[in-house]
Amino acid sequence: MPLIRYQIGNMFIIPNENSSLVKDVSKAKPYTTALMYIGSLAASLLISLQQERSGSELYIAIGLYVLPFIIFCITRMLMLRMMGAIFFSTDKTRLADMERRFYMAMQAVIMIMLAVACVMYSMSVTKAILIALCALIFTEIVAFCKEIGIFFKKNVVFSHFFLYLCTLEAIPLALLIGMMAFLTNTL
């Protein structure tokens, strides 16, 4: 609850990275991390249901599709730490990590709700995937704007911004798309 109150209170402003509230809220990291991994499982369930698999094929597909999502989450967190260690202060990196984890946890909640709606309430998997894509795009745009505000408050050095885009946004996404395409073609 402190994380949700903090995020709602700071939805449109960039908080001070030295604030004691940031340190208190950062204690929720294990919960958001677990939620991200559960959301990865839910997203892999949606993709497996889209391919109309059943029985043991469904479980194998879920197990294989969950790997790219988990690798995506881990890669994104490692890239953030690497960029933070090279270009930014520890406080800014911690704040950006907390923001990124919150938005990834929100994406996970959306995936879980859509997976439950598909399995329990016979929602169309195609509709669920379209809703998921729209929600993912929206949350990624908001998270991107927040991170740009955190890292580049005053002076924007183009090389830092370019490396930020490549490292934190493009590489994990390209890795996820490549692994998903390979798995889809293989299965």
Side-chain angles (χ1 to χ4, degrees):
M1 286 307 292
L3 176 64
I4 294 171
R5 280 194 306 253
Y6 171 79
Q7 290 294 344
I8 289 172
N10 294 315
M11 184 67 71
F12 299 108
I13 60 172
I14 306 300
N16 184 4
E17 59 262 7
N18 296 326
S19 129
S20 63
L21 186 59
V22 170
K23 293 175 183 163
D24 290 340
V25 169
S26 66
K27 294 176 185 174
K29 277 186 182 181
Y31 304 113
T32 56
T33 303
L35 196 55
M36 288 174 358
Y37 294 139
I38 294 169
S40 298
L41 187 63
S44 66
L45 174 66
L46 283 176
I47 292 172
S48 299
L49 289 174
Q50 175 66 27
Q51 295 178 347
E52 298 177 2
R53 299 187 185 279
S54 61
S56 64
E57 271 188 4
L58 179 67
Y59 298 121
I60 292 170
I62 290 171
L64 289 175
Y65 278 122
V66 78
L67 290 175
F69 288 111
I70 290 174
I71 291 171
F72 172 75
C73 292
I74 292 171
T75 303
R76 184 170 258 179
M77 294 304 145
L78 288 175
M79 293 290 180
L80 178 64
R81 285 186 182 152
M82 183 181 72
M83 283 292 293
I86 294 172
F87 293 112
F88 304 110
S89 69
T90 306
D91 293 332
K92 282 186 178 185
T93 305
R94 185 181 318 121
L95 181 62
D97 182 47
M98 185 181 65
E99 293 288 335
R100 176 56 68 180
R101 284 178 189 266
F102 174 75
Y103 287 108
M104 288 177 80
M106 292 307 301
Q107 293 169 353
V109 168
I110 292 167
M111 291 296 160
I112 293 167
M113 289 188 310
L114 290 172
V116 167
C118 286
V119 173
M120 300 289 282
Y121 302 111
S122 301
M123 180 180 185
S124 168
V125 178
T126 306
K127 285 182 185 177
I129 290 178
L130 288 175
I131 292 169
L133 285 175
C134 291
L136 290 174
I137 289 169
F138 176 73
T139 55
E140 282 297 318
I141 289 171
V142 173
F144 178 75
C145 292
K146 288 284 279 208
E147 284 185 4
I148 292 298
I150 291 169
F151 287 131
F152 305 108
K153 283 184 182 175
K154 296 177 185 169
N155 299 338
V156 177
V157 178
F158 180 74
S159 62
H160 287 176
F161 183 69
F162 180 74
L163 287 173
Y164 164 80
L165 284 178
C166 290
T167 306
L168 294 180
E169 302 298 332
I171 290 174
L173 191 59
L175 188 64
L176 176 68
I177 290 171
M179 287 188 296
M180 294 300 284
F182 175 76
L183 282 174
T184 302
N185 289 333
T186 303
L187 293 176

